[in-house]
Amino acid sequence: MLLASGATFLAVLDVTIVNLAIPDLHNDFDSADIADLSWVVTLYATLFAALLAPAGRLADVIGRRSLFIAGMGGFTLMSLLCALAPNLGLLLGARALQGASAAAMIPASLAIVLADTPPERRRAAIGQWSAASALAAAVGPSVGGVLVDQFGWRSLFLINVPFGIILLLFAGIIPRTTRPEGSRLPDLLGTLLLGTGIGLLSLGISKGSDWGWGAAATLGCLIGGALAMGLTLWRSNHHPVPAVETSLWRSRTFALANASSFFYGAALFAWLLVGVLYVTTLWHWSELKAGLAMTPGAFAATFVALYAGNLQAKYGPRFVVVSGSLILAATGLFLAFTLPDHSMFWAYWLPLGTVAGIGMGAITTGTSTAAALSVSPLRFAGATGLNQTARQVGGALGIATLATMLTDVQLTTDDFGKVYLFAGISSLLAALTGLGLVFKAAPAPAATTDPAAADAAASDRQASAASQEKAAS
């Protein structure tokens, strides 16, 4: 659990912590605007999204231990390269490869947790695993603020290196798994098309206001991205080992969990970045102060994620996802129309940030649980990868939308309010799709009063359980 949660913590930390780097990056690369610098976040999210789904399948093929070690090793190495990057181009390239490595870590880590967890404890296990993500969001802003303030943006990447090395040293305790007979690697061309589609759509949205929405470059990116995504889905429907396991979407609950994750990702990524930009631009706070201001809400998300498992056991994932989404939507819409142009931490930022954190913690745990428990245990890794892909695709497009909205040289509260309005509407859509997250209870075994029949039924159940355990192994 510690290894799996540690990997998830680092992967999510590099989303929340790097948001604090944008203002400092602007000082070092003053020729780049916010839309250009936002690609430090977008590229990570794009490669993360494109490779999460096939990485889930890859975990099923080569084993969770092998994938975990490969992903953690690549992530650690690319973190070091990001810290040493002499220019923005090399930083973006290393950041993309870092996102690809993180994509290998996430499905492998949840597969590690669920493979050795009894069915009756899986909801709680997913809650603890999700809490690692929420904890990363909690400490990311404050740690990022301290590091940027004292050592500059390069330290945000350098901090990953010692933790990555420690996790690699202890990865040997993960049990080895045997590669299933006849298993094949995921579709490489489909994976490439998926990454191309997400990247082109993000580029078209983020640069549309600069190029012009009717310009050939903008239309080419949007149309090309949509075609690439369409080809990915078409190819996945016909390929024996698809990049996107579309067969999982035959489960209505799984499909809706993915849709809810997509809209939540769009709201979450835009929300985390716009908060930093708002308080540093209009309230003239330092990165340190901005990071500390973001922390209370993230700690609230951690607390809720830890206890959401109990709520799900009693009320189900639908209650958790819908409630969290409505809380986040209401907070976003309120912020959109009431943002002050002067500092108001205690009376405004702290209470609203805490309420938003409560919503985020609930949605994070609820969508992950709904996706994982709506498929068979043998498909946990693939399902997790696809669900996280949906969130990351939404996040990449959310960041691109933010970059489009914040193009003015002199930003005002109205500009930032538009981003919160976008996040609020996206959260409402997450709540709407979350209404369909319904799980059917397993049928109870038929009662019998015949002792012989009871013994036979018990023997059948034991044989079935042994067969399922062998298949799972």
Side-chain angles (χ1 to χ4, degrees), residues 219-230:
L219 294 177
C221 286
L222 296 177
I223 295 172
L227 287 175
M229 295 287 284

Side-chain angles (χ1 to χ4, degrees), residues 31-79:
S31 61
D33 57 20
I34 289 179
D36 294 328
L37 295 174
S38 69
W39 279 90
V40 175
V41 180
T42 303
L43 269 176
Y44 183 89
T46 298
L47 270 292
F48 202 178
L51 297 177
L52 265 171
R57 290 295 299 269
L58 197 59
D60 297 331
V61 173
I62 69 173
R64 55 191 183 271
R65 170 177 164 152
S66 298
L67 187 64
F68 181 90
I69 293 174
M72 182 58 67
F75 182 86
T76 304
L77 181 61
M78 288 304 108
S79 296

Side-chain angles (χ1 to χ4, degrees), residues 197-412:
I198 299 171
L200 286 175
L201 287 173
S202 299
L203 180 61
I205 295 173
S206 64
K207 302 297 288 186
S209 56
D210 292 338
W211 295 342
W213 291 104
T218 304
L219 294 177
C221 286
L222 296 177
I223 295 172
L227 287 175
M229 295 287 284
L231 284 173
T232 301
L233 298 179
W234 177 84
R235 185 176 174 84
S236 295
N237 279 327
H238 298 83
H239 198 278
V241 192
V244 178
E245 200 169 353
T246 54
S247 61
L248 290 171
W249 290 338
R250 294 169 188 165
S251 165
R252 178 174 175 270
T253 298
F254 181 79
L256 289 174
N258 276 217
S260 190
S261 290
F262 171 83
F263 292 120
Y264 171 54
L268 175 67
F269 278 57
W271 191 295
L272 293 176
L273 182 53
V274 73
V276 172
L277 295 174
Y278 169 64
V279 297
T280 55
T281 301
L282 294 189
W283 291 5
H284 306 293
W285 285 6
S286 66
E287 287 85 354
L288 174 60
K289 196 171 182 179
L292 293 174
M294 302 288 287
T295 300
F299 271 115
T302 305
F303 179 82
V304 171
L306 283 171
Y307 290 95
N310 296 331
L311 289 175
Q312 290 181 115
K314 187 174 183 180
Y315 301 107
R318 177 173 62 176
F319 172 80
V320 174
V321 172
V322 172
S323 299
S325 299
L326 290 177
I327 289 172
L328 189 61
T331 309
L333 294 176
F334 182 81
L335 283 164
F337 297 104
T338 62
L339 283 176
D341 56 6
H342 58 281
S343 177
M344 291 180 59
F345 176 72
W346 293 106
Y348 187 86
W349 193 259
L350 177 62
L352 290 175
T354 303
V355 172
I358 292 172
M360 291 175 184
I363 307 170
T364 299
T365 304
T367 52
S368 297
T369 302
L373 298 185
S374 61
V375 302
S376 70
L378 295 178
R379 307 181 82 182
F380 276 148
T384 302
L386 195 53
N387 182 251
Q388 294 288 334
T389 295
R391 184 179 303 173
Q392 294 298 319
V393 170
L397 297 181
I399 293 293
T401 302
L402 175 147
T404 298
M405 293 179 173
L406 302 182
T407 55
D408 294 339
V409 176
Q410 296 294 330
L411 296 172
T412 65

Side-chain angles (χ1 to χ4, degrees), residues 62-115:
I62 69 173
R64 55 191 183 271
R65 170 177 164 152
S66 298
L67 187 64
F68 181 90
I69 293 174
M72 182 58 67
F75 182 86
T76 304
L77 181 61
M78 288 304 108
S79 296
L80 180 60
L81 187 57
C82 285
L84 300 177
N87 54 62
L88 184 59
L90 185 56
L91 173 62
L92 293 178
R95 187 73 170 142
L97 293 175
Q98 189 189 34
S101 301
M105 291 156 50
I106 295 295
S109 67
L110 185 57
I112 290 167
V113 172
L114 295 181

